[in-house]
Amino acid sequence: MTDPALPRGSAVPRETPLAARHRALGASFTDFGGWSMPVRYTSDLAEHHAVRTAAGLFDISHMAEFTVVGADAGAFLDHALAGRLSTLPVGKAKYSLLLAESGGIVDDLIVYRLGDEEFFVVANAGNRGPVSAALFERAEGFEVTVTDDTDAFALIAVQGPVARSVLGATHGLGEEERPLEELPYYAATRARFDGAPVLIARTGYTGEDGYELYVGNDRADDLWEALTAAGAPLGLVPAGLAARDTLRLEAGMPLYGHELSLDIVPAQAGLGRVVAVDKDDFVGKAALESVVATEAPVLVGLVSEGRRAGRAGYAVLGPDGEVVGEVTSGALSPTLGHPIALAFVAPALSAVGTELALDVRGTRIPATVSPLPFYRRTK
């Protein structure tokens, strides 16, 4: 195994390789997961609508990346994660969960299989430490090498209906092992940008089609500039975390620290399908088999009328005004034009169509349990 190169504790947020570019574009910044990240460039709404109608350009270099290589790579990930990764075809990706022994969620991840004995694991920025510790500890006894490569990569996302056209027009980007027009959703291909290696993944966190490009830190600024030049005539705009949050909320995608935590087991968050319960064993399996959670709150979508949205921490009220749950994420949906929220509520009140209410700063706002996702792209 390779020792993880974790950053030393510091009160100063880290910057991505594109920080100077964001400042030049007039971005506003926020501390997110220990990183100084662009929250917006111009307008949250404009950036959100650009992704839904054309494309947005995101810097998500704060994400954590780990390389797993070795004869036991697949077996190790089957043990370490809740999903079955050993059968994942080369070139494909899979959403999975890293569970604690208690069955709670340490993090949600995307795993790419890059070769017969090579996997690439992408975790959330704020969970780099716990994920790193878990992977290195769980690798004991397996013929596998785990490397924390977070500091080696920048990650740029192009999301939206014209994303493929943007990449196709980007000067210097090419030599894909698999043509982009043949790359299915949740798949990846190695490519080149001006001779430098790039991994292009057809994945995202917005509910739109799009791509995530992993490139060495030293080439990140040049790639951002090339994507911008290619995409500007097509409607591409830089987009920050504020738009990314409303986009993922409309798409019903969970955010760690809001819908996912060590106190939540997968079934509560609607992620039971991610767990390969038929595997012989994996970390957290015994706890999941022994948990009796019939009364544990479950995640639902809520829609309401008007303009006042429930926010994280707001109470969900039952028919008699009693507190029956709590909002984890909420916003006035830019695409749909009405408030939406994700919330944990009592199972007996989780059926689609159930009439509830939100306590929005002392005002009772009617809300209805809705199917997820709130928004689904049409093609």
Side-chain angles (χ1 to χ4, degrees), residues 32-46:
F32 186 82
W35 292 76
S36 179
M37 298 297 295
V39 65
R40 71 182 56 82
Y41 298 86
T42 55
S43 154
D44 301 353
L45 287 176

Side-chain angles (χ1 to χ4, degrees), residues 17-18 61 149-156 193 196-199 213-223:
L18 292 161
S61 302
D149 283 327
T150 304
D151 296 332
F153 289 103
L155 176 53
I156 299 172
F193 173 65
V198 178
L199 181 68
L213 294 86
Y214 298 83
V215 66
N217 291 331
D218 60 335
R219 305 311 301 274
D221 193 69
D222 290 340
L223 179 56

Side-chain angles (χ1 to χ4, degrees), residues 99-166:
L99 303 181
E101 291 281 2
S102 65
I105 300 171
V106 177
D107 201 14
D108 61 334
L109 319 152
I110 294 182
V111 181
Y112 302 91
R113 188 165 200 164
L114 304 184
D116 290 339
E117 299 182 357
E118 181 181 2
F119 293 80
F120 193 58
V121 180
V122 183
N124 288 296
N127 287 333
R128 179 185 178 186
V131 171
S132 179
L135 291 179
F136 281 89
E137 178 182 341
R138 296 174 191 186
E140 191 69 35
F142 290 92
E143 188 179 333
V144 68
T145 298
V146 180
T147 307
D148 184 339
D149 283 327
T150 304
D151 296 332
F153 289 103
L155 176 53
I156 299 172
V158 181
Q159 299 284 302
V162 303
R164 184 184 301 173
S165 297
V166 172

Side-chain angles (χ1 to χ4, degrees), residues 65 88-95 110-116 118-122 153 155-156 164 167 173-192 197-204 209-215:
E65 294 92 11
L88 187 66
V90 173
K92 290 288 288 180
K94 191 169 190 175
Y95 178 81
I110 294 182
V111 181
Y112 302 91
R113 188 165 200 164
L114 304 184
D116 290 339
E118 181 181 2
F119 293 80
F120 193 58
V121 180
V122 183
F153 289 103
L155 176 53
I156 299 172
R164 184 184 301 173
L167 266 62
L173 184 65
E175 300 182 45
E176 300 94 347
E177 292 181 352
R178 189 171 185 180
L180 293 184
E181 59 269 20
E182 298 178 9
L183 193 68
Y185 190 52
Y186 260 65
T189 182
R190 299 181 194 269
R192 293 276 172 177
V198 178
L199 181 68
I200 302 176
R202 193 175 176 188
T203 48
D209 197 5
Y211 300 86
E212 297 178 323
L213 294 86
Y214 298 83
V215 66

Side-chain angles (χ1 to χ4, degrees), residues 344-361:
F344 280 100
V345 302
L349 298 172
S350 64
V352 171
T354 301
E355 297 294 333
L356 300 171
L358 303 177
D359 183 348
V360 180
R361 298 182 180 179

